[in-house]
Amino acid sequence: MTNAATESATPPTQWVLTLSCPDRPGIVHAVAGAIATRGGNITESQQFGDPETGLFFMRVQVEADLPQSELEASLSPVAEQFGMTWLVDRVGRPMRTLVLGSTTEHCVGDLLFRQQSQRLPVDIVGVVSNHTVLQPLAEFYGAGFHHVPVTKATKADAEARLLELVDEMDVELVVLARYMQILSDDVCTALAGRVINIHHSFLPSFKGARPYAQAHDRGVKLIGATAHYATASLDEGPIIEQDVERVDHSDDVTALIAMGQDVERRVLARAVRWHAEHRVLLDGHRTVVFR
Amino acid sequence: MTNAATESATPPTQWVLTLSCPDRPGIVHAVAGAIATRGGNITESQQFGDPETGLFFMRVQVEADLPQSELEASLSPVAEQFGMTWLVDRVGRPMRTLVLGSTTEHCVGDLLFRQQSQRLPVDIVGVVSNHTVLQPLAEFYGAGFHHVPVTKATKADAEARLLELVDEMDVELVVLARYMQILSDDVCTALAGRVINIHHSFLPSFKGARPYAQAHDRGVKLIGATAHYATASLDEGPIIEQDVERVDHSDDVTALIAMGQDVERRVLARAVRWHAEHRVLLDGHRTVVFR
Amino acid sequence: MTNAATESATPPTQWVLTLSCPDRPGIVHAVAGAIATRGGNITESQQFGDPETGLFFMRVQVEADLPQSELEASLSPVAEQFGMTWLVDRVGRPMRTLVLGSTTEHCVGDLLFRQQSQRLPVDIVGVVSNHTVLQPLAEFYGAGFHHVPVTKATKADAEARLLELVDEMDVELVVLARYMQILSDDVCTALAGRVINIHHSFLPSFKGARPYAQAHDRGVKLIGATAHYATASLDEGPIIEQDVERVDHSDDVTALIAMGQDVERRVLARAVRWHAEHRVLLDGHRTVVFR
Amino acid sequence: MTNAATESATPPTQWVLTLSCPDRPGIVHAVAGAIATRGGNITESQQFGDPETGLFFMRVQVEADLPQSELEASLSPVAEQFGMTWLVDRVGRPMRTLVLGSTTEHCVGDLLFRQQSQRLPVDIVGVVSNHTVLQPLAEFYGAGFHHVPVTKATKADAEARLLELVDEMDVELVVLARYMQILSDDVCTALAGRVINIHHSFLPSFKGARPYAQAHDRGVKLIGATAHYATASLDEGPIIEQDVERVDHSDDVTALIAMGQDVERRVLARAVRWHAEHRVLLDGHRTVVFR
């Protein structure tokens, strides 16, 4: 790939390996062995055994001067032996991401900004919206814009178009950045574990319409946001991240919404970063987050 | 009123006045006038007009060298004119407080500690519990301990005894410091606005038994606590204060409970302080908190 | 301006009044009287008497159906009597703001975004930078861009140009949004109380170059930001707002900088909002913030 | 050790292993191998390679049904091979701790409370103070109290007595819980890595006497606390944990001190817990904290 002279100057590639499997003795030893055999050096690693589900989770960063296929070949027998769900990826490789928005720009704009300025490890290959408001913003940041209107009558077509876009552009991650449309169970299933949603959260929680108005009416002192994987039951997928902001009696509904937007974009950006860095592993309907 | 010698040495007394009434022009002017007439000086003041309920709220601290009765006499006609709910108190006067606990000491102990060490402006006249575990702690801090067992059969008697204690000891504030017993609607009504409760809170909220286990099962990333006035519907009284603590996948139920205790005692202590300092005013089923 | 028919349907204008003066009895009464005389209704008000400086601070929101000049005329004798520093403004009037940036967009972009989407009550009349990187961003949000290069030799000219721009565009507020240039004492004095700066903050603080590298080297667990008024001594002006973000040993300098940017833009946005809403009053080298 | 019948009922012991050494390939594999050989199961593990110091850090929890000496014997050759600093301990074993206090009880009392109620994994074998104020508190919680007065003249004797107590009681950890005495360099060196100190922290930091008064004078909006290992230069040892609390202009010095106490005891309790659980590893003058 490179000649010897330059090779000596190039730092070895960083790889990330994540895995989960039923917990039993010898996993770490076997994985570390498969890595050591190929001259790899483990630079960062986190493990967690869940006593309740009996599952074991591991995320490893490896410095190794070899192609991905060789690393995978070395790990494959171990994975088989322990019944692992696993993946290998290059550290820092931008994840191909499709952002779905509606009319509010705070989450979409924030992801575009962070991709460009803060090395958020995603490659936003497109912005999809059922409105056109976000088009200039998407284009300003060089992301293709796809207008996919949704009405009751066209919802099935719109979702088909969405899956087509995911397919055409090799999308790995779909982010619902205040998309305001509920994905059908079929789409959720088709994209399971690859769709991140953000929504407001309160203590206590409020069901139904106009949640900020309900929160204001109830006189809450904190408003929050939750980022989670989308599942068939929209707001009940595995939680990735949560945070809150302090409010008081003088904050009206408009102020609550503005503060809510702040916490939403902060929480969503963290969830997307951790997902793109393969720090989030599914443990049933919970997540293990190796921050 | 006092002779020159003492006058120069004694700072004038600080008074706190709180009021609420239907909002209309002239309230502040009238109140300020009634204070200025008696030579009082407003040193701190907060107001809030709620556009939704049409109510106006005010908390004023006044420096004035006169007895409470005179200040009240001066304010009384104004209060009548505007239909005010109002009170006058001396700043820093310890509020006579009865603390109800069960078997866990974190909230009870924290209030006792803060009363002694941090000038929490309460005078804890007694600790009531349906168990005896907290007796040594109460006595260590010099608070009288009252064992009032509660069973299904004796609940009415126990509550009667509680109201008796409130009466006998001129209790102004009752704090449910993880009391674990639900007060009857009658007691809540009898002590309306004078009972502060603390309970755990989550995003989303969980109904039913073992909430920390539910929260753990759901994989929440934040656990919180809410302090509120007790009303007939236990956990739905007006919220005074809320806060959260960050948790992760490796925190088991025991860890969540320990962290929950921390946030519970912090939130409860703030709510008690603000109530005792007359910073919390009721606005329907919400609170106005003049921090 | 409007005929009687529509006038009856228009809600009365909201005014904000802020003042500070030496503390003595009667201030609130006098102010409230001047407002009540003109039929004004106080809807929100906060006061604070600083026992150390002996100064009294007040912020009042008034509902009143009259021109600004009449409200001012009514207050003017009171202001004179008590030696007040004071101002009256219309609630929600966008403050004419000039944003100074350098090459990083996180603070500049965030202010532009919030002006447009979250009703941050500023009118960003221009973006000034010593580089051209921010030009497309400024233009995307419709703000004029002014390239004012700064070298050692041209610093005086650049500052003259800056003051000219402030003058030409009736700028009320200058925001140093990671401007990376130190304003001369003369400019700070000329614009005293009208320039907000943002900078990183740590516990402990670090002097000199590459503060994030120093913070990383020291192993801090929190990084923060401080928004303050610019004064002759750059980072020591009156503090308006501070906040922090949690970091750990695995965050390298690049990660710290990205997290620092997040907290910087959050803190700066709050400070600008509070200033534009006349919630920040100067109390010597401290601020009183009526949030 | 136990017969077959009980053995089957007893869950295997949990061990914790921590190590640090120069980073090179094969460490994890070798460690995991030494554990797997003895039938141990790794249930939790965290690693970190510091690219700057070239050091590798690891914390492993192991489920293994064997005595500590056998586990150590198995690991010893690996430790030697890689030049490790390492230790093995039983998970949950209370660390023998000596708490040093002065006249304020908030930190001392909090540690005693948490030991008893929240399973803080320490065994507080004694409280040492240069005053007698804390004696009843120590005795209430069943900890021996040692009055060791300190004057300029007796400082050397007092420190000798302290080291004697450490020795006599096999103390593993010394906590300076607002002790207010500076330990000599000799004591710091003798107890290096075994003394945790807590102190207030601000942005910016303040040198010299009455820091809360300085912070108030400067008008800070946050006050904080830092827990760190004591080293010869008192407040500059490796940082374990930091946190902050929000304050405003109306908080006087007394209020700041009370709020500071809250954040101090919270931060100290976390640092002590993490240390006692072997979660804190030294990386030069920084710490790696495996939370």
Side-chain angles (χ1 to χ4, degrees), chain A residues 220-235:
Chain A
V220 299
K221 305 302 185 189
L222 295 175
I223 58 172
T226 297
H228 63 94
Y229 289 112
T231 54
S233 55
L234 183 63
D235 290 349

Side-chain angles (χ1 to χ4, degrees), chain D:
Chain D
M1 199 192 281
T2 53
N3 63 33
T6 49
E7 207 160 27
S8 65
T10 317
T13 309
Q14 295 276 347
W15 302 101
V16 58
L17 158 69
T18 66
L19 63 90
S20 64
C21 63
D23 199 358
R24 62 181 167 108
I27 302 169
V28 177
H29 186 226
V31 169
I35 289 165
T37 305
R38 313 305 289 242
N41 185 25
I42 295 178
T43 54
E44 195 183 320
S45 165
Q46 287 165 293
Q47 284 114 68
F48 175 65
D50 186 336
E52 282 162 54
T53 60
L55 291 176
F56 180 82
F57 300 86
M58 190 170 179
R59 181 187 186 276
V60 188
Q61 284 196 203
V62 177
E63 218 167 52
D65 225 350
L66 77 185
Q68 182 165 340
S69 57
E70 279 187 35
L71 186 58
E72 288 173 342
S74 181
L75 287 160
S76 188
V78 176
E80 195 154 325
Q81 180 192 348
F82 289 92
M84 292 175 178
T85 303
W86 66 297
L87 70 80
V88 170
D89 201 354
R90 189 165 48 73
V91 169
R93 184 186 66 81
M95 189 173 277
R96 297 179 63 81
T97 300
L98 192 64
V99 174
L100 274 59
S102 182
T103 56
T104 56
E105 82 168 72
H106 64 284
C107 283
V108 175
D110 202 54
L111 291 171
L112 289 163
F113 157 73
R114 286 175 193 269
Q115 169 194 9
Q116 188 191 71
S117 309
Q118 297 191 323
R119 308 182 206 177
L120 184 69
V122 295
D123 176 8
I124 299 180
V125 296
V127 171
V128 171
S129 177
N130 52 337
H131 294 89
T132 55
V133 176
L134 299 174
Q135 181 154 6
L137 183 74
E139 288 169 356
F140 174 72
Y141 281 102
F145 182 81
H146 305 270
H147 183 213
V148 180
V150 181
T151 65
K152 243 185 194 170
T154 66
K155 172 150 186 172
D157 292 350
E159 293 207 329
R161 179 69 188 125
L162 174 63
L163 289 178
E164 224 173 65
L165 286 168
V166 165
D167 217 50
E168 283 168 12
M169 296 191 287
D170 279 328
V171 167
E172 299 169 274
L173 172 65
V174 173
V175 180
L176 307 181
R178 304 301 291 152
Y179 178 49
M180 310 309 284
Q181 296 290 323
I182 296 173
L183 296 186
S184 69
D185 290 6
D186 286 357
V187 171
C188 286
T189 305
L191 300 174
R194 298 162 58 199
V195 181
I196 294 178
N197 188 29
I198 181 76
H199 69 86
H200 40 71
S201 297
F202 308 94
L203 318 85
S205 41
F206 302 102
K207 301 282 178 196
R210 308 194 62 237
Y212 283 101
Q214 288 188 61
H216 181 258
D217 182 63
R218 185 68 183 81
V220 299
K221 305 301 183 188
L222 296 174
I223 57 172
T226 297
H228 64 95
Y229 288 112
T231 53
S233 54
L234 183 61
D235 289 348
E236 313 232 322
I239 297 169
I240 303 169
E241 168 66 343
Q242 303 185 299
D243 209 347
V244 294
E245 194 87 356
R246 186 166 281 277
V247 300
D248 75 17
H249 60 268
S250 68
D251 295 306
D252 60 17
V253 175
T254 305
L256 293 192
I257 290 172
M259 296 167 92
Q261 289 185 349
D262 252 38
V263 65
E264 281 170 9
R265 62 181 181 157
R266 194 158 82 230
V267 167
L268 181 60
R270 280 190 211 133
V272 168
R273 174 178 297 279
W274 296 339
H275 177 92
E277 293 177 351
H278 303 294
R279 298 186 178 278
V280 189
L281 281 75
L282 278 171
D283 180 16
H285 51 283
R286 283 182 292 190
T287 60
V288 172
V289 181
F290 291 129
R291 296 173 58 179

Side-chain angles (χ1 to χ4, degrees), chain A residues 67-82:
Chain A
Q68 182 165 339
S69 58
E70 279 187 35
L71 187 57
E72 287 173 343
S74 181
L75 287 160
S76 188
V78 176
E80 197 154 323
Q81 180 193 348
F82 289 92

Side-chain angles (χ1 to χ4, degrees), chain C residues 66 85 117 189 197 222:
Chain C
L66 76 184
T85 303
S117 308
T189 305
N197 187 30
L222 295 175

